[in-house]
Amino acid sequence: MPRQHSEHGGTGVPTPSLDRIPDQRFGYDEARHLLWRAGFGGTPRQIRTLAEMGPRRAVAFLVNVDEIEGYPRPTARSFEHDLMSWGERERMAFQRARAARDEEALARLRGERERRQQQDRAQIRAMQRWWLTRMIETPRPLEEKMTLFWHGHFATNYRTIENSYHMFLQNQLFRSEAVGSFETLLHGIVRDPAMLRYLDNHNSRQGAPNENLARELMELFSLGEGNYSERDIKEGARALTGHTYEGNEFVFREEWHDSGAKRVLGRSGNFAGEGFVKAILARQACAEFICFKLYRFFVGDLGAPGSSRREVSETVVRRLAGTLRRSDYRLAPVLTELFESEHFYDEANELTRIKSPAELVVGSVRALGTPTRDVGTLVDSLDRMGQNLLFPPSVKGWDGERSWINTSTMFVRQNVLNFLLTGRTMRGWDEDAQREAYDPRALLTDLAEVDPGSEKDPRVVVRYLLRANIGGEPTAGALDALDGFMASVDDRVTRDTLVGLLSLIASMPEYQLT
């Protein structure tokens, strides 16, 4: 039986148990919850298939991403790699032209640079469309969900980088270790051209160390406030001197590096970036900080300070941190423990998170089976809803949750859902709307197989689609509204009436939650 939920989602204090949920308690609603939190939702048939697997197999299916084939991973050749990689020859040509006051040559070189910048801006736009398409089409949803998580965690903005290929390389780093090793990620980020440029470490050298990367590495990426000192920042910045790049490759310039003795986080030595990262990883606070971030992303807010919910959440985070340390910072064991746990499926943790714009759009396409329509329009909608991919607002990433919702963004949220369901935009019909007409009757296939004939019963269809797209036992108000709509169309279950029904469901406040 589906569980009753309130209009505003889960309430109460969840169990602190990280024991695996018993097979008999892992049903349709739990599978739906898992698909949305560990991925981007799924169709009714996909939900039922996952439910029939049981918790152990279902979680393993999502977490073991390397075992899932059928969709090519990007390669170094996916995009142009040298649009912004001006080499020594070009720099020398500029210097010669300036020395000779050759205005014609300077104009030609400036024109070439502007042409490359225009191409690069076009390429970053193409990357946004490419990544959004990957999220929609991938058979490895947790891989892309975690890539999105790391993009918000190690936030880097193209406007500062102005090198689309460096953003692609960073995106590849996140994907390669999406559910892999946080240790590898942290070592990689201090060698990542995009991050080195974003936080001004590419020119950091002995005698003039830049402290930006050292500070954010500890405050936002690994330890959190209160777990390091100002001296640790200064010493860490010395360790990162000489970390720069040439073209698309990390370069360690030994002549720029401060090779003197340093003391960071209780460790002493003549170390560089690698030693700095090892000192961070040795701290218990690092595992707890990462598990706190994972908890907020996959479960929800920890609760108000001093509350019973906060106490439970912090207990769970500490236990997950213990798993992370015992696993040498491998992420799969932590995610497996969380996604299998009784805590994760507790009713108090259901419908407590507001869907990010990416979750809303990608999840609607995947769960409703709508046409993707124009991906560029979807990318623009993400921007207007506050989540411009590859352009996070600051090094802190997106605030998320309630910041996603305001009068302006709700208007866009409703419009983008209407666009996916009908093809209609604010300017009229999309030119491909008829060619890509949406037929939601495919969503009833599973219902027809389980209970033949029920796919024609409007009351059954209403409850079936509500449960698949909102979860749990619907409120009486929601049922009355939807039953009333079906009565107004003479209880006919057709393509058009189903589109109308889904439009009403998508307009409900609960649809914004996961």
Side-chain angles (χ1 to χ4, degrees):
M1 290 291 292
R3 295 185 292 189
Q4 179 74 38
H5 62 67
S6 72
E7 185 177 352
H8 302 291
T11 58
V13 180
T15 174
S17 173
L18 285 175
D19 292 342
R20 183 183 299 115
I21 185 173
D23 288 2
Q24 62 270 24
R25 284 174 46 203
F26 186 82
Y28 186 93
D29 293 319
E30 288 72 23
R32 180 192 176 280
H33 181 70
L34 175 62
L35 266 180
W36 269 102
R37 294 290 179 90
F40 298 97
T43 63
R45 170 168 288 184
Q46 290 169 337
I47 295 170
R48 182 167 68 90
T49 299
L50 211 65
E52 291 172 349
M53 288 182 178
R56 186 194 293 268
R57 289 178 56 215
V59 170
F61 175 75
L62 290 169
V63 172
N64 299 336
V65 297
D66 288 333
E67 297 179 12
I68 304 172
E69 300 179 353
Y71 195 72
R73 285 193 168 98
T75 67
R77 296 178 179 271
S78 298
F79 293 98
E80 289 291 331
H81 68 279
D82 61 352
L83 288 177
M84 301 303 292
S85 299
W86 277 54
E88 188 63 25
R89 185 174 62 181
E90 287 87 353
R91 285 192 290 271
M92 291 296 293
F94 241 112
Q95 290 175 9
R96 287 195 299 269
R98 279 178 176 166
R101 297 184 178 179
D102 188 340
E103 294 300 328
E104 184 178 343
L106 285 172
R108 184 176 66 253
L109 289 165
R110 290 192 184 104
E112 171 64 13
R113 182 166 58 187
E114 290 174 3
R115 184 186 68 81
R116 288 179 176 231
Q117 289 171 337
Q118 290 175 353
Q119 288 182 311
D120 198 64
R121 287 191 287 270
Q123 180 157 277
I124 199 68
R125 174 76 174 173
M127 285 179 185
Q128 290 179 306
R129 296 192 297 269
W130 162 82
W131 190 15
L132 186 60
T133 300
R134 281 195 69 85
M135 291 187 221
I136 291 170
E137 296 180 352
T138 180
R140 300 181 290 272
L142 182 58
E143 180 178 72
E144 294 305 321
K145 191 74 171 277
M146 284 298 293
T147 303
L148 182 63
F149 169 79
W150 293 123
H151 176 45
H153 180 78
F154 295 111
T156 310
N157 189 310
Y158 168 76
R159 285 194 184 91
T160 299
I161 306 304
E162 294 187 329
N163 188 316
S164 60
Y165 196 73
H166 287 182
M167 295 297 292
F168 171 70
L169 291 176
Q170 188 184 79
N171 188 264
Q172 283 285 73
L173 170 65
F174 298 156
R175 186 172 292 103
S176 68
E177 297 298 332
V179 296
S181 166
F182 178 72
E183 179 177 358
T184 301
L185 269 175
L186 203 61
H187 279 291
I189 210 67
V190 299
R191 300 165 61 93
D192 174 61
M195 185 61 75
L196 293 173
R197 174 67 183 85
Y198 186 58
L199 292 179
D200 301 311
N201 203 90
H202 61 304
N203 288 323
S204 185
R205 60 190 74 195
Q206 182 178 10
N210 188 292
E211 297 180 1
N212 289 352
L213 180 55
R215 181 182 301 276
E216 307 307 354
L217 190 64
M218 291 187 285
E219 179 180 337
L220 298 177
F221 301 161
S222 63
L223 296 176
E225 291 184 358
N227 293 303
Y228 58 90
S229 68
E230 284 297 313
R231 178 180 176 181
D232 291 325
I233 293 172
K234 294 182 182 302
E235 297 288 273
R238 291 177 58 213
L240 292 171
T241 52
H243 274 234
T244 186
Y245 60 88
E246 287 184 4
N248 300 318
E249 301 293 333
F250 167 76
V251 171
F252 178 66
R253 290 195 180 279
E254 193 166 354
E255 68 274 19
W256 290 6
H257 178 62
D258 184 338
S259 59
K262 309 168 189 75
R263 184 168 178 79
V264 181
L265 299 169
R267 290 196 169 193
S268 299
N270 300 340
F271 45 73
E274 182 178 359
F276 183 20
V277 169
K278 287 181 178 179
I280 289 172
L281 293 168
R283 308 290 282 197
Q284 172 67 24
C286 180
E288 291 187 1
F289 182 75
I290 296 307
C291 287
F292 159 72
K293 295 291 291 285
L294 290 170
Y295 187 94
R296 284 196 63 201
F297 189 76
F298 287 112
V299 181
D301 188 69
L302 271 70
S307 66
S308 297
R309 183 181 181 94
R310 180 77 173 212
E311 183 179 345
V312 168
S313 301
E314 289 180 343
T315 297
V316 170
V317 168
R318 285 194 298 270
R319 290 174 180 170
L320 292 173
T323 299
L324 186 61
R325 286 182 68 84
R326 288 191 298 274
S327 303
D328 296 324
Y329 283 98
R330 289 185 299 113
L331 297 156
V334 176
L335 295 174
T336 297
E337 183 174 32
L338 178 62
F339 295 152
E340 288 183 350
S341 72
E342 293 180 309
H343 177 81
F344 182 72
Y345 298 101
D346 194 289
E347 188 172 0
N349 287 327
E350 290 185 337
L351 298 178
T352 56
R353 290 189 59 253
I354 296 172
K355 293 172 184 172
S356 70
E359 288 174 317
L360 179 73
V361 169
V362 175
S364 295
V365 175
R366 291 180 69 110
L368 299 175
T370 71
T372 303
R373 304 196 187 279
D374 180 67
V375 180
T377 297
L378 299 183
V379 169
D380 289 340
S381 296
L382 293 184
D383 184 12
R384 294 198 300 274
M385 289 185 284
Q387 193 172 29
N388 196 11
L389 296 177
L390 307 179
F391 292 81
S394 74
V395 69
K396 294 190 299 183
W398 292 279
D399 291 333
E401 294 304 325
R402 293 190 179 276
S403 70
W404 295 131
I405 300 294
N406 56 50
T407 304
S408 175
T409 58
M410 278 303 299
F411 181 72
V412 181
R413 281 174 173 250
Q414 295 300 329
N415 280 334
V416 73
L417 290 170
N418 189 53
F419 172 64
L420 290 172
L421 290 166
T422 68
R424 191 174 186 86
T425 69
M426 291 295 294
R427 295 181 296 275
W429 293 98
D430 177 67
E431 60 184 19
D432 293 326
Q434 294 306 312
R435 182 175 61 82
E436 295 184 317
Y438 171 48
D439 190 347
R441 286 175 293 189
L443 296 175
L444 305 182
T445 302
D446 195 57
L447 177 61
E449 291 180 0
V450 173
D451 186 10
S454 60
E455 76 278 6
K456 299 176 183 178
D457 184 330
R459 288 181 58 81
V460 173
V461 168
V462 162
R463 285 148 183 79
Y464 173 78
L465 292 178
L466 260 178
R467 189 179 184 191
N469 290 289
I470 290 179
E473 183 68 28
T475 62
L479 287 175
D480 288 346
L482 298 179
D483 285 339
F485 168 77
M486 292 305 294
S488 73
V489 294
D490 300 323
D491 285 335
R492 290 177 290 113
V493 181
T494 66
R495 184 186 73 85
D496 290 341
T497 59
L498 286 174
V499 170
L501 186 64
L502 290 171
S503 296
L504 288 173
I505 292 174
S507 69
M508 294 178 174
E510 296 94 332
Y511 190 82
Q512 304 298 327
L513 302 174
T514 180

